[in-house]
Amino acid sequence: MKFAAVVSALFIASASAFAPATTERASTSLNMDRRAAMGAIAAAGLVAVPSMASADGAVSAASIQRARFQYGSRIAALKEAVSKGDFGAVADEKNAFILFNSGAYANNKAAKSKAIDGTNAIFAAIRAKDKGALKSAYDAYVAANDIKEPSALDSTKGQGYSSDYDYRVRTKQAAIYVR
């Protein structure tokens, strides 16, 4: 809707810039008044402005799967650090939790809210330097969000990716079937 309004405004501005003048005498650049000159410049400026790039916020099953894989595997890899009580390693992966919550639950606000609450519990345990609370909060978060470490894919059983632009490249899931 906004895009249509912007396109309509640009069309009207360009049409008015090239419309014939309503003055009685022939209009040249030398006998234009300031208002007419500024209007023509503004209209030409609007036409010359390239259209803005705007993300549409589209969420697909593929983007959810990608977020679950990329950030879920980073979260799953923290299991050993959590069992050791390494607060710094978990804190360094704060963005993985944030991006997992926003990507994996982009369409589900209730589940996203629960995931954020789990993330908050993990980082509250880190701030309190409580290893037991960190382990229990992490285990609860991983269980509630069904996070698993991706298993290695055997190239004889299937293909994990098809190009270097796939999100599984350089991971355990990166297997290419070769005859």
Side-chain angles (χ1 to χ4, degrees):
M1 186 68 185
K2 291 180 184 177
F3 181 72
V6 170
V7 170
S8 298
L10 289 175
F11 179 72
I12 292 170
S14 65
S16 65
F18 297 110
T22 58
T23 59
E24 293 177 14
R25 55 188 169 153
S27 175
T28 64
S29 61
L30 297 176
N31 62 6
M32 289 180 88
D33 62 343
R34 282 187 212 164
R35 184 175 294 170
M38 292 308 274
I41 291 170
L46 283 176
V47 170
V49 173
S51 62
M52 295 182 291
S54 59
D56 61 353
V59 178
S60 66
S63 65
I64 291 171
Q65 179 184 7
R66 182 183 182 107
R68 288 191 70 78
F69 181 84
Q70 283 186 322
Y71 308 117
S73 60
R74 285 173 56 186
I75 292 168
L78 292 172
K79 185 174 188 172
E80 188 175 322
V82 169
S83 65
K84 289 180 183 177
D86 187 358
F87 300 118
V90 179
D92 287 343
E93 288 293 336
K94 180 179 182 179
N95 287 336
F97 287 96
I98 293 168
L99 293 170
F100 179 85
N101 295 341
S102 65
Y105 300 116
N107 289 337
N108 190 343
K109 291 188 180 199
K112 183 177 181 179
S113 176
K114 288 179 185 175
I116 290 171
D117 291 342
T119 302
N120 291 339
I122 290 170
F123 286 96
I126 290 173
R127 283 190 297 277
K129 303 283 187 203
D130 186 353
K131 290 181 183 182
L134 174 62
K135 182 159 178 36
S136 65
Y138 175 80
D139 290 340
Y141 182 83
V142 168
N145 295 298
D146 194 32
I147 296 174
K148 298 179 195 101
E149 181 70 32
S151 59
L153 186 65
D154 185 14
S155 63
T156 61
K157 305 236 190 244
Q159 182 163 319
Y161 73 103
S162 61
S163 74
D164 285 339
Y165 301 105
D166 196 296
Y167 61 91
R168 292 169 290 198
V169 171
R170 292 182 287 286
T171 66
K172 294 179 189 178
Q173 291 279 310
I176 294 280
Y177 174 75
V178 180
R179 292 184 196 201

